Amino acid sequence: RLEGGARPAGPRHPPILSLAALALGHSRQLHPHPHYLRPSEPMTRLKLSAVLLLAASAAPPASETQPSAAAAGSEGLSPEALAEGDECPAAGSVDAAVGCALSALQRRARGALRDRQEPAKAWGQCGGTMSDGKQWDGPTGCVAGYSCVKKDSGYSQCRPLPAPLHGPNGDLATQGATDEGEDDEEDEEEDEEDEEDEEEDKEGDRREDSNGDIPGDGGGQDEDEDEDEDGDEDDEPEDSKAPKQVPLKPNPPTPEPPTMSGPMNPVIIKGNFLYDSVTGKRFFAKGVAYNPRNIRYDIRWGHSPNCTPGNPPTGQLGYADDVIADEHESLWRPALKAIANIGANTVRIYNVDPANNHAKFMAAAAQLGLYVIIPLTRKDWGYLPAFPAPDCYTRTIDGYGNVGVNLLTTGKLIVKEFSKYDNTLLFTVANEMTVNDRNGFAAFPCVKAYTRDIHRYQASCAENMRRVPLIYADMDIGEDRTMVGEYMSCAVESPDDAVDAYGINVYSWCDESYPDETGKDNFQYSPYLSIKKGFMNFEKPVLFTEFGCNVGAFETECPYKGGRTWPDVKVITGTLGEILSGAIAFEFSMEENQYGMALTPGFLSGQDELYLLDNYYALQKQFGRYNVSSAWDAPIAAAGAAMSDCLWRPEHVGALSVKHVAPRCPSQDKANDLQRRRGVDKVVKWDALPETPTAPLSDVNGQAECPAHKLSPSARKEGCCHMDCKH
């Protein structure tokens, strides 16, 4: 019963501990190498073969564990598979020897049982670590047609197998690794080949062989002039050689984007819309997600005869790196110009380190008229784990500390820094808690507790700090999206634990149109219909915090010609214009997921500058063509009075098609049902929030709790419309 739970029906099996003791008593007879147990040291060393040989029989037969069809033909818990190579070091007692044996047995048995799991689904996790930082213990195999591809040290994903390629001998060979180990080896080989290539000929052309390596160009010779060591011409079939990079079509001239002549006006919330706090005009966030990794093309993403990996001038960035820090200015400055030129007014960021300086980035964004969405969680320190509540906000992890203390400290530091910038649009308290771990549905109370504590921190510094609204961004979870949105936006303990806006990361619009039976495009047949029905009465702003399907009609491969045309922008700003307050296109730079609109320098061979793709220009066209209605703009003459009035609402100037009402918290019965359907390990009470951790900023180099800044009376008054400034 290594995995816990009730014993399956069927024959009883001897306890493992008894088997271990039995093995110890008969190890001289059963051990294949009895010299490990000499009479002078009868229990100092123990080979696990004997223990495992007998203990393997303690595991239920395959018929009882009901293995998947994929695992039915495997060896499973065979003694040979369990015992091979496991040896306990010298032990001073029988207890120590038994303990060592049982630990090794448990590791092996868990691994064998894991191998019998159903394979991971398409695009599912198949390796890396779990949300609590522990090693992944789920399935490591993938369904047919997919292979496990390592994205980084913390995450591996089942991705489609590429089409077969011609191998060195002209035969078909499948491109792509089948496990994480092969991925690592190929990456190391590529890096070594790159270094050799640079040393041999920095100016030479770079080409890709059929195994994904990047050798030198043979000293500048043409391919048909290459010779073997014996002097003979290379007789390798021509079609087995990877072609050189096909030159990219030059981007059209890019004009300098317009710049702001003065400071940007803070954006505030009125009803379910966002507004410019000075002009009274409705603000709709047309945004682009920015999270570059500065990587190069990898043929394992899908072989293309026209693409050869390049050599980025700066090193690859990790998922925990702060990409908007001043030190990365050479990377983000041209990207910001391109984002502004696309017609965007917002950029969404995914990771910041409050120890770094971001003044240059925020100033450059403001000069280009760009607002910024800033995260309050980080990837490496100050994260919100998907543990069932209250552990997600109270647990102490060895070597890391208390998750709540570290998270709240991080959040307060980020809020303290970025609240001073008028172009900080929103703070994201968390993003997609459920994307990699079903227990995210049991961690939602921790998101609300964190929201409560950040709101109270903002209130405690109301004299010195602008109240920037908080948003939670969730993956589109289908029929449950509205219920989760209502829970995040309702008041459980007080209004402090309710987010100010709700975000959905949506990737369901995957076709040019959705025609009805007559062949005419009809919104009633589109995937956004259910979103409209679910949020049409929502009282708070709703944003598509990510959007942009890249499959179906929009699928493309390197060099990424065509692709997404963004037809849903018309629907987002029109049909959904009374419901949504913004949409953030995912994402700017091309990464492994191949959602990008631009290639960062060195992504492809010979591509030394930022290169804008077809789907960038398609989004530029759509952003320029479609805008939300101005029917709810405040009258110019009364804009100041309207924006300073806590009770002013959009319906005061323009009728809304439906009445927007405050969200009600779902009942605990509904919360329990959702958690059970989603398969959480532990069903928790959504109406019980974890307590506030003690996290004073004086613990961080003795700094003050609030910034040394005096807020204007109007800004303070507007903030206090939404919070208890006396708290």
Side-chain angles (χ1 to χ4, degrees):
R1 298 176 60 190
L2 296 178
E3 297 295 331
R7 180 184 297 277
R12 297 180 62 84
H13 302 280
I16 291 177
L17 184 59
S18 299
L19 286 168
L22 179 63
L24 288 171
H26 296 277
S27 58
R28 290 181 65 91
Q29 288 78 17
L30 297 177
H31 201 288
H33 303 289
H35 64 271
Y36 279 109
L37 290 173
R38 296 193 296 269
S40 59
E41 45 182 12
M43 296 305 302
T44 56
R45 296 182 67 83
L46 173 66
K47 188 76 174 177
L48 286 178
S49 299
V51 177
L52 299 173
L53 183 66
L54 292 175
S57 65
S63 60
E64 293 183 22
T65 58
Q66 296 179 346
S68 66
S74 65
E75 291 184 0
L77 290 171
S78 68
E80 295 79 11
L82 288 170
E84 183 180 358
D86 277 319
E87 181 179 316
C88 289
S93 67
V94 173
D95 289 343
V98 172
C100 173
L102 290 177
S103 295
L105 170 62
Q106 189 177 48
R107 289 195 303 271
R108 286 299 189 94
R110 284 185 185 275
L113 290 173
R114 181 184 62 203
D115 291 341
R116 289 182 172 181
Q117 292 177 338
E118 291 288 341
K121 297 179 180 179
W123 304 101
Q125 185 173 0
C126 55
T129 58
M130 296 184 291
S131 58
D132 58 1
K134 295 181 180 179
Q135 189 67 26
W136 173 252
D137 65 357
T140 55
C142 300
V143 295
Y146 288 76
S147 65
C148 191
V149 177
K150 181 177 180 180
K151 297 184 69 175
D152 56 40
S153 60
Y155 189 70
S156 296
Q157 185 182 46
C158 287
R159 298 186 64 87
L161 286 169
L165 301 179
H166 287 288
N169 299 320
D171 54 342
L172 288 177
T174 301
Q175 182 70 44
T178 58
D179 57 38
E180 294 181 40
E182 292 179 11
D183 287 349
D184 292 338
E185 292 174 3
E186 290 189 15
D187 289 342
E188 293 175 2
E189 291 173 3
E190 287 180 13
D191 293 339
E192 292 173 0
E193 293 285 0
D194 287 347
E195 295 173 0
E196 294 173 4
D197 181 60
E198 292 177 11
E199 294 174 359
E200 292 175 4
D201 190 349
K202 292 184 178 180
E203 300 299 324
D205 293 332
R206 302 174 63 85
R207 58 187 174 86
E208 164 188 313
D209 71 5
S210 61
N211 292 320
D213 299 326
I214 307 175
D217 67 350
Q221 293 177 317
D222 292 335
E223 288 186 78
D224 56 2
E225 295 176 355
D226 289 346
E227 295 183 353
D228 297 330
E229 293 181 1
D230 59 5
D232 296 333
E233 290 189 1
D234 188 354
D235 57 358
E236 184 179 2
E238 186 65 25
D239 63 354
S240 70
K241 298 179 180 180
K244 296 181 180 180
Q245 174 66 48
V246 174
L248 298 171
K249 180 181 178 181
N251 284 147
T254 302
E256 284 295 316
T259 57
M260 298 289 293
S261 57
M264 297 183 71
N265 301 326
V267 171
I268 60 177
I269 292 176
K270 294 292 183 182
N272 66 312
F273 291 160
L274 301 175
Y275 280 88
D276 184 306
S277 61
V278 176
T279 66
K281 292 183 178 296
R282 184 184 172 191
F283 179 84
F284 189 91
K286 292 181 178 179
V288 174
Y290 182 64
N291 192 31
R293 302 274 66 84
N294 203 36
I295 62 177
R296 64 179 184 172
Y297 173 67
D298 191 323
I299 62 171
R300 288 171 296 181
W301 303 346
H303 180 69
S304 172
N306 299 318
C307 292
T308 301
N311 188 26
T314 57
Q316 179 175 336
L317 300 175
Y319 279 88
D321 284 341
D322 181 357
V323 299
I324 65 170
D326 287 355
E327 62 181 293
H328 297 304
E329 182 177 1
S330 62
L331 185 64
W332 56 250
R333 188 170 288 278
L336 280 183
K337 289 184 178 181
I339 291 172
N341 265 326
I342 209 173
N345 57 22
T346 303
V347 57
R348 182 184 174 189
I349 307 301
Y350 289 82
N351 198 64
V352 296
D353 183 349
N356 293 333
N357 196 334
H358 308 93
K360 288 184 178 180
F361 178 88
M362 295 302 293
Q367 188 178 25
L368 294 169
L370 293 172
Y371 289 87
V372 186
I373 300 176
I374 296 291
L376 296 186
T377 56
R378 296 177 58 197
K379 306 293 185 184
D380 53 353
W381 195 91
Y383 56 86
L384 182 56
F387 300 149
D391 286 357
C392 42
Y393 208 47
T394 61
R395 182 184 293 184
T396 297
I397 301 175
D398 291 343
Y400 174 73
N402 184 272
V403 292
V405 171
N406 291 349
L407 175 62
L408 185 54
T409 300
T410 293
K412 290 167 71 173
L413 289 170
I414 295 173
V415 168
K416 183 180 179 181
E417 176 187 1
F418 285 92
S419 294
K420 65 185 178 184
Y421 300 113
D422 288 341
N423 61 326
T424 299
L425 179 65
L426 298 164
F427 286 131
T428 310
V429 290
N431 181 68
E432 293 188 337
M433 288 296 295
T434 60
V435 67
N436 287 328
D437 196 324
R438 62 183 181 274
N439 286 318
F441 290 95
F444 286 154
C446 295
V447 178
K448 290 188 71 66
Y450 186 38
T451 301
R452 172 200 64 203
D453 295 339
I454 292 296
H455 272 152
R456 290 180 179 175
Y457 171 63
Q458 290 177 312
S460 70
C461 298
E463 298 285 344
N464 314 88
M465 195 164 62
R466 181 169 68 91
R467 185 189 186 276
V468 177
L470 307 183
I471 187 172
Y472 170 65
D474 203 355
M475 63 184 294
D476 187 5
I477 54 176
E479 62 182 8
D480 294 321
R481 68 170 79 90
T482 304
M483 179 178 169
V484 174
E486 289 174 341
Y487 175 67
M488 291 297 178
S489 305
C490 75
V492 171
E493 295 178 346
S494 73
D496 289 336
D497 60 61
V499 294
D500 304 300
Y502 185 67
I504 316 171
N505 299 340
V506 182
Y507 295 94
S508 56
W509 194 290
C510 299
D511 214 333
E512 289 288 350
S513 62
Y514 290 88
D516 56 23
E517 59 275 5
T518 67
K520 184 179 180 180
D521 192 16
N522 190 333
F523 176 77
Q524 301 299 315
Y525 289 76
S526 79
Y528 288 175
L529 176 64
S530 60
I531 296 176
K532 179 180 180 180
K533 290 181 177 179
F535 291 94
M536 62 190 307
N537 300 104
F538 220 64
E539 187 188 45
K540 296 189 177 183
V542 178
L543 287 80
F544 281 176
T545 35
E546 291 175 8
F547 83 103
C549 176
N550 71 343
V551 297
F554 308 127
E555 188 169 359
T556 185
E557 63 178 19
C558 191
Y560 308 109
K561 295 181 179 180
R564 296 181 288 185
T565 58
W566 312 93
D568 45 342
V569 171
K570 178 181 179 180
V571 175
I572 288 169
T573 56
T575 308
L576 300 180
E578 190 177 316
I579 298 171
L580 296 180
S581 289
I584 312 299
F586 188 87
E587 66 177 318
F588 180 72
S589 57
M590 186 62 68
E591 312 294 342
E592 294 178 48
N593 52 34
Q594 302 191 86
Y595 279 92
M597 307 174 208
L599 308 182
T600 48
F603 183 86
L604 295 176
S605 177
Q607 175 241 322
D608 300 324
E609 297 181 352
L610 185 70
Y611 185 79
L612 306 178
L613 300 171
D614 288 350
N615 80 108
Y616 169 93
Y617 293 105
L619 183 61
Q620 183 183 60
K621 181 179 180 180
Q622 299 285 37
F623 271 176
R625 178 180 296 178
Y626 300 110
N627 295 286
V628 292
S629 171
S630 60
W632 296 284
D633 289 356
I636 297 177
M643 294 300 100
S644 63
D645 183 357
C646 292
L647 301 179
W648 191 88
R649 293 292 183 271
E651 52 266 36
H652 292 171
V653 292
L656 296 171
S657 59
V658 296
K659 183 179 181 180
H660 292 255
V661 296
R664 299 178 59 183
C665 293
S667 68
Q668 188 58 48
D669 287 342
K670 289 184 177 180
N672 292 347
D673 175 68
L674 183 148
Q675 293 177 78
R676 292 191 185 100
R677 285 189 287 105
R678 295 290 182 166
V680 300
D681 292 340
K682 176 185 176 183
V683 174
V684 304
K685 291 184 177 181
W686 278 13
D687 56 2
L689 307 186
E691 295 183 357
T692 302
T694 302
L697 292 188
S698 58
D699 289 348
V700 185
N701 301 322
Q703 64 177 280
E705 192 75 1
C706 300
H709 176 72
K710 191 68 174 178
L711 204 61
S712 68
S714 60
R716 185 184 187 282
K717 178 183 177 182
E718 199 287 323
C720 293
C721 288
H722 306 278
M723 62 184 176
D724 181 5
C725 293
K726 298 178 182 179
H727 192 88

